[in-house]
C-alpha cells in the first residue's frame, strides 16, 4: 500500500474513492473491476483491506516495473489455456476459504479499443462467488484511462486524480449456479453505469 501511494504521488497521481456502503475490513470479498490501466493494480493495493490476492495474466509476472506491485499475486493465468484457468480458479477458491479476498478483472485484459469500452466478462468470478458464498463488490474505475491508458506507452500519462466508485457488496448467499449469468450481467451493468467516456 505504501509503495502505491508513494510511487503515484511522485508522478502526481492521486486517488479518490466513493463508497456506496462502508466495507467490513474483516469480511472476505471478491472485488470485480473494469480494467483500462496498469494503475488499476495500485488502486487495489490501496482499496483492499486485510489479506487479499490478485488473479492476473501470467505476462505481468515478468514485468520489471509492475512486479513490485504483484507481490500479492499468487495466481497467474495463461489466457489461452483452459487448464490454466481451471487451476487458477481452484487455487482462488482455496484462498477464499482461507479468508483471502480476491481481486479480479473479469474482462481478462485491457482491450485495444480507445477510448475504452467495457468488454465482455468471463464467467469464472461469478460462479466462484456463488460456489464459495462470498460477497462480490463491483468497482468502477471511472476515469483512470484518461491519466494512463494501459501502460502509457501509446498516449502517454499525466498527473491527475483517479476517481473510483465502489458499489455496495452483492450478497450471494441465496444464489445458485443458475443465477451466475444474471449475477454477471448485474455486475457488468453496475460497473458500466459509472464509467466516463
Amino acid at each position: 500500500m505504501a509503495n502505491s501511494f508513494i510511487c503515484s504521488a511522485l508522478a502526481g497521481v492521486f486517488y479518490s474513492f466513493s463508497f456506496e456502503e462502508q466495507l467490513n475490513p474483516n469480511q472476505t470479498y471478491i472485488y470485480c473491476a473494469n480494467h483500462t490501466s496498469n494503475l488499476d493494480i495500485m488502486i487495489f493495493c490501496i482499496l483492499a483491506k486485510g489479506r487479499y490476492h490478485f488473479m492476473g495474466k501470467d505476462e505481468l509476472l515478468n514485468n520489471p516495473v509492475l512486479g513490485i506491485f504483484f507481490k500479492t499475486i499468487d495466481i497467474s493465468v495463461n489466457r489461452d489455456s483452459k487448464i490454466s484457468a481451471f487451476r487458477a480458479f481452484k487455487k482462488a477458491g482455496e484462498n477464499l476459504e482461507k479468508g483471502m479476498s480476491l481481486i479480479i478483472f473479469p474482462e481478462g485484459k485491457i482491450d485495444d479499443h480507445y477510448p475504452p469500452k467495457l468488454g465482455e466478462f468471463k464467467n469464472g468470478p461469478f460462479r466462484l462467488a456463488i460456489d464459495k458464498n462470498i460477497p462480490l463488490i463491483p468497482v468502477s474505475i471511472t476515469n483512470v484511462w484518461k491519466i494512463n491508458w494501459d501502460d502509457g506507452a501509446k498516449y502517454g500519462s499525466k498527473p491527475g486524480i483517479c476517481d473510483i466508485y465502489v458499489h455496495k457488496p452483492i450478497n450471494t448467499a441465496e444464489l445458485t449456479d443458475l443465477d451466475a449469468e444474471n449475477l454477471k450481467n448485474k455486475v457488468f451493468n453496475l460497473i458500466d453505469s459509472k464509467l466516463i467516456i
Side-chain angles (χ1 to χ4, degrees), residues 58 75-89:
D58 52 7
I75 302 179
S76 61
V77 184
N78 181 335
R79 294 181 303 197
D80 299 321
S81 169
K82 289 183 179 180
I83 293 175
S84 175
F86 173 81
R87 288 175 178 164
F89 278 101

Side-chain angles (χ1 to χ4, degrees), residues 20-77:
E20 273 190 8
E21 185 177 289
Q22 192 66 37
L23 303 182
N24 180 355
N26 299 314
Q27 173 68 52
T28 301
Y29 294 113
I30 295 178
Y31 296 86
C32 284
N34 58 305
H35 194 23
T36 61
S37 171
N38 285 348
L39 292 176
D40 298 343
I41 308 306
M42 295 189 222
I43 286 167
F44 277 100
C45 287
I46 296 168
L47 172 61
K49 307 299 181 188
R51 298 172 64 222
Y52 62 89
H53 65 287
F54 286 90
M55 183 183 291
K57 59 185 180 181
D58 52 7
E59 302 100 285
L60 293 171
L61 298 176
N62 299 320
N63 186 301
V65 177
L66 288 179
I68 298 170
F69 303 99
F70 272 77
K71 291 177 182 177
T72 54
I73 289 192
D74 54 358
I75 302 179
S76 61
V77 184

Side-chain angles (χ1 to χ4, degrees), residues 64-128:
V65 177
L66 288 179
I68 298 170
F69 303 99
F70 272 77
K71 291 177 182 177
T72 54
I73 289 192
D74 54 358
I75 302 179
S76 61
V77 184
N78 181 335
R79 294 181 303 197
D80 299 321
S81 169
K82 289 183 179 180
I83 293 175
S84 175
F86 173 81
R87 288 175 178 164
F89 278 101
K90 186 175 185 296
K91 177 65 175 175
E94 293 169 356
N95 285 349
L96 287 166
E97 290 175 355
K98 295 174 184 175
M100 294 179 69
S101 292
L102 172 65
I103 298 163
I104 190 167
F105 303 105
E107 294 167 277
K109 62 178 181 177
I110 297 176
D111 196 70
D112 294 333
H113 189 275
Y114 186 90
K117 289 192 278 189
L118 193 60
E120 184 179 354
F121 283 3
K122 310 289 186 185
N123 295 320
F126 311 100
R127 291 175 178 167
L128 189 62

Side-chain angles (χ1 to χ4, degrees), residues 121-185:
F121 283 3
K122 310 289 186 185
N123 295 320
F126 311 100
R127 291 175 178 167
L128 189 62
I130 292 171
D131 182 53
K132 299 300 180 182
N133 189 18
I134 301 291
L136 194 152
I137 302 178
V139 179
S140 300
I141 304 176
T142 65
N143 67 337
V144 176
W145 63 274
K146 293 186 175 183
I147 293 168
N148 185 90
W149 178 66
D150 199 354
D151 61 3
K154 189 169 184 179
Y155 295 103
S157 58
K158 62 182 181 179
I161 298 174
C162 300
D163 295 313
I164 301 98
Y165 190 92
V166 184
H167 301 263
K168 65 182 179 181
I170 299 173
N171 187 2
T172 63
E174 304 299 322
L175 302 182
T176 70
D177 289 343
L178 296 176
D179 300 306
E181 187 71 19
N182 287 336
L183 177 61
K184 179 176 74 171
N185 292 336

